[in-house]
Amino acid sequence: MKITVKISALFAALECSAKKDIRYYLQGINIQITKPFTGMVYGTDGHILFAGQLPYDGACDVPLNLIIPTDAVKRLDKKAEFTDLEFDGQNYLLGGARFVPVDGRYPDIGRVIPDITSSTEQTPGTYNPDLLVRGRAALSLYLGVKPKDTFNFIQRGSDSAVMHAGVNTCLVVVMPMRADHEAPYAGFNRNFM
């Protein structure tokens, strides 16, 4: 098996993957291929999820569900446009460098991505701003746009929010912060007294 994929899609997923986590299987990106010429790439840390289509060129005869470790992706040249993912029967290679796939089961992504038929009524929620910045960075990498671009953000109260660019190729899901209580806004005293 040898396929060629866009490097930007891999780095976009890496933006949302876990950095240091006891759940070792989240410390990498997941590639799933079940049909010819298009797979999916995922990255999550349990609080944020990137999901994007992964078009590829080449031959992939069998369904593929592979967790590529973080360090294997980081070795790639960010300035290059494409890289090869290979399996020669014994070794996996990414960009010509050998890696050992993470031995684990990636979470069921379908459980957290809201269905298109679900209610899209916006309900305000509380979200970690760091996650929103990472989500924007991931979408920017994937789409090849400036990191300062803004994206649609559908808030769903205590349910997951969706950040998207209005295309059907990628999205970011952000989990809300669970607060025991919310303090009411007391107003602003212009005199600071």
Side-chain angles (χ1 to χ4, degrees), residues 10-122:
L10 304 182
F11 277 105
L14 190 63
E15 188 69 38
C16 295
S17 69
K19 306 304 181 235
K20 292 181 181 178
D21 198 302
I22 194 165
R23 298 167 293 181
Y24 64 93
Y25 49 88
L26 296 181
Q27 295 184 38
I29 63 171
N30 181 233
I31 291 180
Q32 295 180 19
I33 297 176
T34 57
K35 59 184 179 179
F37 306 112
T38 303
M40 293 296 294
V41 61
Y42 304 106
T44 186
D45 68 1
H47 301 285
I48 187 170
L49 162 74
F50 173 83
Q53 286 184 355
L54 186 67
Y56 66 90
D57 289 328
C60 185
D61 302 336
V62 295
L64 180 69
N65 190 347
L66 181 69
I67 302 174
I68 301 174
T70 300
D71 61 335
V73 178
K74 284 185 175 180
R75 286 190 298 239
L76 295 171
D77 180 9
K78 282 186 175 183
K79 294 178 182 174
E81 191 171 356
F82 297 99
T83 191
D84 291 331
L85 173 62
E86 303 175 62
F87 180 65
D88 63 9
Q90 293 181 351
N91 299 305
Y92 283 96
L93 301 166
L94 182 64
R98 191 170 67 126
F99 72 92
V100 176
V102 175
D103 185 22
R105 185 169 180 212
Y106 212 72
D108 181 9
I109 300 302
R111 288 184 29 209
V112 296
I113 297 177
D115 188 74
I116 197 164
T117 60
S118 66
S119 172
T120 57
E121 179 180 330
Q122 294 220 25

Side-chain angles (χ1 to χ4, degrees), residues 161-173:
V162 177
M163 186 181 293
H164 67 92
V167 294
N168 194 20
T169 56
C170 62
L171 61 80
V172 171
V173 177

Side-chain angles (χ1 to χ4, degrees), residues 139-153:
L139 289 174
S140 295
L141 281 168
Y142 184 87
L143 296 167
V145 297
K146 293 180 181 178
K148 300 293 183 190
D149 283 0
T150 59
F151 300 102
N152 296 315
F153 188 60

